[in-house]
C-alpha cells in the first residue's frame, strides 16, 4: 500500500472522528455520531494492519485473536452494563487506554527496530521524549482512572482522602519525574523508563484520592483528556498519523469539556489539571440538628401538578439509580394531557458523568425540545408553579449561593426554591454526594415525597 493511500485513509478516519464528535454533541444526532466513529476506527485499524505488511501466520493469529477477545469482552459489557454504572465503566475504559500507552511505549523501547525508530541505545532523542511523555501520561491515567472507578462504584469512599503535605509531595514527585525523563533520554536505560512509569503510577493515585465525590464528573472528563494525550504521544513515537489525530481529538475535546464542567461547578481549570481541588473544606453534617419537614404522598403531588400551569422536572442521580426515566416520561405525558406545560431542567454536572441525565431522558424518548440546560431555564423558576426534583440534591442546594463555608459555594445551581412549590423526591433526608445538608428540604414551599424514585413517580402517574 502506497504512502499516499495510507495518508488518505488515515485522513478519512480522522475526518470521520471529527464528524463523530460533532454528532455526539446532541442526543438527536448521537446515534449517527457513534456510527461515524465506528466506521472511522474500522478504517484506521484495517489500514494499520495493511501497513504492517506480510506477517507470519502465528503473528496474524495473535492479532486476530486479540481483536476477537477484546471486541467480544467489549460487546458483552456494553450489552450488560446498566446506565447507572456507565460512569465507572467509562473510568475503567480510560484506565485501559492509559495502560495500553505504557505497554506500547515499553514495546517500542525494548524493540525499536520493529517500530522503525532506531536500535537499542541509539533511539532519537525526540522519539525518547515522545515515548516517555506518552508512558508518563498513560501511567497517570491508568491509576487515576482506577481510583475514580473505585470511588464511583462505591468500592472506595467518595470522601476526599487528604494526605499531609500532599501538594509538596505531588510537586516533589513531578520534579523527580522530569529528572527521570531527562536521564532516560540521555542514558536510554530501562531503569529510568520504569522509574518514569512507577512515579507516574503513584502520581495518578495521589492526584485523584483527594478529589471528593461531588467533583467526579469533572474527574471523568479530565481523565478522558489525559487518555487522549497519552495516545497522541505514543502516536508520535510510532509515527502513526491516525493515532496522533485520534489522541489529539480526544485530548482536546476532553480538555474543553473539563473547562465547561469547571465553569458549571465554579472550579479552577488549572487546579483540576493539577488534581488539587475538592474537599478542602468538609461539610458532611451527619450530626446536624434534625429540622421539621413537610411530608406528602403521591396523591398530594399529583393534585398539585395537575392543577399547575407549568411544571419543571429536575432529574438527578437518584433517578438513574432507580431507573425511573420511563416512569417520569409517563408522568409527564399524563400532565401534558391535562394541559400542563412540562419542561426538564438539566444541570451540567447532574449524575456521575457529563450528559448522564440527557442520555437517560433520551433513552425514555423524552422530546429534545423539552430538555433545557441550566443557563437556559434558571430564569423561569420564579414563574413556575411546581418543580419536581427527582433524585437530585447538590445541584439544587442554595448553599452554593449563600454559604461561603460550603464546599459547593460559588457553583451555579438550579434555583428551584424560587418556584411556588417544590416537590422533592428522595429516599431519605440524607445529604447528597458532596456530604452537605440541603436547606430546600425545610422551606415552607417544599413538600418532601420520600421513597424510591421509580415507585413514587409511578404512583404519581397513576394518581393523575
Amino acid at each position: 500500500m502506497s504512502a499516499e493511500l495510507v495518508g488518505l485513509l488515515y485522513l478519512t478516519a480522522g475526518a470521520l472522528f471529527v464528524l463523530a464528535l460533532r454528532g455526539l454533541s446532541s442526543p438527536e444526532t448521537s446515534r449517527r455520531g457513534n456510527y461515524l466513529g465506528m466506521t472511522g476506527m474500522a478504517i484506521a485499524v484495517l489500514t494499520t494492519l495493511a501497513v504492517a505488511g506480510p506477517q507470519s501466520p502465528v503473528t496474524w493469529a495473535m492479532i486476530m485473536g486479540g481483536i476477537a477477545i477484546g471486541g467480544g469482552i467489549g460487546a458483552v459489557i456494553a450489552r450488560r452494563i446498566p446506565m447507572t454504572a456507565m460512569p465507572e465503566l467509562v473510568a475503567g475504559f480510560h484506565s485501559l487506554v492509559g495502560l495500553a500507552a505504557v505497554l506500547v511505549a515499553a514495546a517500542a523501547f525494548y524493540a525499536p527496530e520493529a517500530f522503525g525508530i532506531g536500535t537499542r541505545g541509539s533511539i532519537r532523542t525526540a522519539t525518547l521524549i515522545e515515548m516517555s511523555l506518552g508512558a508518563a501520561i498513560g501511567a497517570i491515567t491508568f491509576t487515576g482512572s482506577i481510583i475514580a472507578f473505585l470511588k464511583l462504584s462505591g468500592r472506595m469512599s467518595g470522601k476526599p482522602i487528604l494526605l499531609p503535605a500532599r501538594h509538596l509531595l505531588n510537586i516533589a514527585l513531578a520534579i523527580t519525574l522530569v529528572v527521570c525523563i531527562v536521564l532516560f533520554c540521555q542514558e536510554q536505560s530501562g531503569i529510568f523508563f520504569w522509574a518514569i512509569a512507577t512515579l507516574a503510577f503513584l502520581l495518578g493515585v495521589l492526584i485523584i484520592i483527594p478529589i471528593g465525590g461531588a467533583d467526579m464528573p469533572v474527574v471523568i472528563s479530565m481523565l478522558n483528556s489525559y487518555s487522549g494525550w497519552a495516545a497522541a504521544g505514543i502516536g508520535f513515537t510510532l509515527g502513526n498519523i491516525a493515532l496522533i489525530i485520534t489522541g489529539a481529538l480526544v485530548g482536546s475535546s476532553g480538555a474543553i469539556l473539563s473547562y465547561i464542567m469547571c465553569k458549571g461547578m465554579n472550579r479552577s481549570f488549572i487546579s483540576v489539571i493539577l488534581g488539587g481541588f475538592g474537599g478542602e473544606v468538609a461539610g458532611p453534617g451527619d450530626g446536624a440538628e434534625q429540622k421539621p419537614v413537610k411530608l406528602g404522598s403521591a396523591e398530594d403531588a399529583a393534585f398539585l401538578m395537575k392543577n399547575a400551569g407549568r411544571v419543571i422536572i429536575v432529574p438527578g442521580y437518584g433517578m438513574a439509580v432507580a431507573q425511573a426515566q420511563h416512569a417520569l416520561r409517563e408522568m409527564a405525558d399524563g400532565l401534558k394531557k391535562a394541559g400542563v406545560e412540562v419542561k426538564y431542567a438539566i444541570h451540567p454536572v447532574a449524575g456521575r458523568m457529563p450528559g448522564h441525565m440527557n442520555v437517560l431522558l433520551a433513552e425514555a424518548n423524552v422530546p429534545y425540545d423539552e430538555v433545557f440546560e441550566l443557563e437556559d431555564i434558571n430564569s423561569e423558576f420564579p414563574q413556575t408553579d411546581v418543580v419536581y426534583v427527582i433524585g437530585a440534591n447538590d445541584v439544587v442546594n442554595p448553599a452554593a449561593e449563600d454559604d461561603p463555608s460550603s464546599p459547593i459555594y460559588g457553583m451555579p445551581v438550579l434555583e428551584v426554591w424560587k418556584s411556588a412549590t417544590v416537590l422533592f423526591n428522595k429516599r431519605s433526608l440524607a445529604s447528597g454526594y458532596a456530604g452537605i445538608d440541603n436547606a430546600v428540604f425545610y422551606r415552607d414551599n417544599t413538600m418532601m415525597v420520600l421513597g424510591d424514585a421509580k415507585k413514587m413517580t409511578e404512583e404519581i402517574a397513576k394518581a393523575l
Side-chain angles (χ1 to χ4, degrees):
M1 187 179 291
S2 66
E4 290 79 8
L5 180 57
V6 171
L8 179 60
L9 289 171
Y10 279 154
L11 184 61
T12 302
L16 288 171
F17 293 148
V18 173
L19 293 173
L21 286 174
R22 172 63 178 169
L24 293 172
S25 64
S26 167
E28 194 170 5
T29 59
S30 59
R31 189 183 297 272
R32 183 172 71 241
N34 269 313
Y35 288 143
L36 291 172
M38 292 163 63
T39 303
M41 184 56 67
I43 292 173
V45 170
L46 293 174
T47 302
T48 301
L49 291 175
V51 170
Q55 300 286 343
S56 69
V58 175
T59 301
W60 278 113
M62 292 174 63
I63 292 173
M64 293 301 125
I67 292 175
I69 293 172
I73 293 173
V76 171
I77 291 175
R79 292 183 65 87
R80 292 184 177 179
I81 198 76
M83 277 303 304
T84 50
M86 195 59 67
E88 53 259 42
L89 176 67
V90 171
F93 280 167
H94 287 164
S95 72
L96 297 179
V97 175
L99 183 60
V102 176
L103 295 177
V104 171
F109 173 68
Y110 284 104
E113 299 87 353
F115 295 88
I117 58 175
T119 59
R120 282 293 303 271
S122 301
I123 303 174
R124 296 187 305 273
T125 301
T127 301
L128 291 169
I129 294 174
E130 295 158 1
M131 184 189 303
S132 56
L133 288 176
I137 298 173
I140 291 173
T141 304
F142 173 68
T143 50
S145 297
I146 292 295
I147 297 298
F149 171 83
L150 295 174
K151 282 176 173 278
L152 288 166
S153 62
R155 293 173 173 85
M156 182 178 181
S157 173
K159 295 182 179 180
I161 300 175
L162 306 179
L163 299 178
R166 62 188 181 93
H167 293 300
L168 291 177
L169 180 59
N170 289 343
I171 291 172
L173 283 174
I175 292 174
T176 307
L177 183 61
V178 172
V179 172
C180 287
I181 291 175
V182 173
L183 293 174
F184 172 66
C185 294
Q186 293 176 345
E187 304 295 333
Q188 300 195 24
S189 168
I191 294 175
F192 290 115
F193 176 86
W194 291 111
I196 292 170
T198 302
L199 289 169
F201 281 138
L202 181 58
L203 194 58
V205 173
L206 294 178
I207 64 174
I208 300 300
I209 58 172
I211 299 177
D215 295 320
M216 274 298 136
V218 184
V219 174
I220 292 293
S221 61
M222 179 182 71
L223 291 171
N224 178 52
S225 178
Y226 285 0
S227 67
W229 296 125
I234 296 302
F236 279 106
T237 300
L238 305 181
N240 188 298
I241 298 174
L243 199 53
I244 295 171
I245 294 173
T246 307
L249 282 173
V250 173
S252 56
S253 60
I256 293 170
L257 181 58
S258 296
Y259 175 72
I260 294 172
M261 300 292 285
C262 287
K263 287 186 65 178
M265 299 183 72
N266 194 39
R267 303 296 191 190
S268 164
F269 182 65
I270 298 300
S271 65
V272 173
I273 295 297
L274 298 177
F277 73 111
E280 293 296 349
V281 288
D286 293 332
E289 178 186 355
Q290 294 296 317
K291 306 173 186 176
V293 297
K294 187 189 302 180
L295 297 177
S297 64
E299 289 75 16
D300 296 328
F303 177 81
L304 288 169
M305 285 194 276
K306 191 173 182 177
N307 289 280
R310 172 187 291 177
V311 171
I312 294 180
I313 299 170
V314 180
Y317 188 63
M319 183 194 76
V321 172
Q323 289 289 285
Q325 62 268 28
H326 297 283
L328 192 64
R329 166 70 193 274
E330 181 184 350
M331 185 194 80
D333 288 344
L335 288 171
K336 285 186 283 187
K337 286 180 182 178
V340 180
E341 180 187 0
V342 178
K343 293 183 178 181
Y344 298 80
I346 306 296
H347 193 281
V349 295
R352 293 296 178 266
M353 64 181 290
H356 200 177
M357 296 300 104
N358 302 76
V359 172
L360 290 173
L361 294 179
E363 181 189 352
N365 294 316
V366 171
Y368 304 127
D369 58 357
E370 294 179 5
V371 181
F372 296 86
E373 301 296 330
L374 177 145
E375 62 272 13
D376 299 321
I377 202 169
N378 231 3
S379 61
E380 296 189 24
F381 286 112
Q383 293 82 43
T384 300
D385 300 302
V386 177
V387 172
Y388 182 50
V389 182
I390 174 169
N393 198 329
D394 299 325
V395 298
V396 295
N397 195 330
E401 295 186 355
D402 54 30
D403 185 3
S405 65
S406 172
I408 64 170
Y409 181 69
M411 182 179 85
V413 291
L414 292 162
E415 299 172 340
V416 299
W417 59 89
K418 293 184 177 181
S419 64
T421 301
V422 179
L423 296 174
F424 216 124
N425 171 234
K426 279 173 55 68
R427 287 182 178 273
S428 68
L429 296 176
S431 60
Y433 215 31
I436 56 176
D437 202 16
N438 192 334
V440 174
F441 296 168
Y442 317 109
R443 288 179 178 255
D444 293 336
N445 64 332
T446 298
M447 177 183 290
M448 303 297 298
V449 281
L450 301 180
D452 176 79
K454 183 178 180 181
K455 184 178 179 181
M456 178 59 68
T457 305
E458 287 175 342
E459 289 179 358
I460 294 173
K462 186 183 297 184
L464 287 172

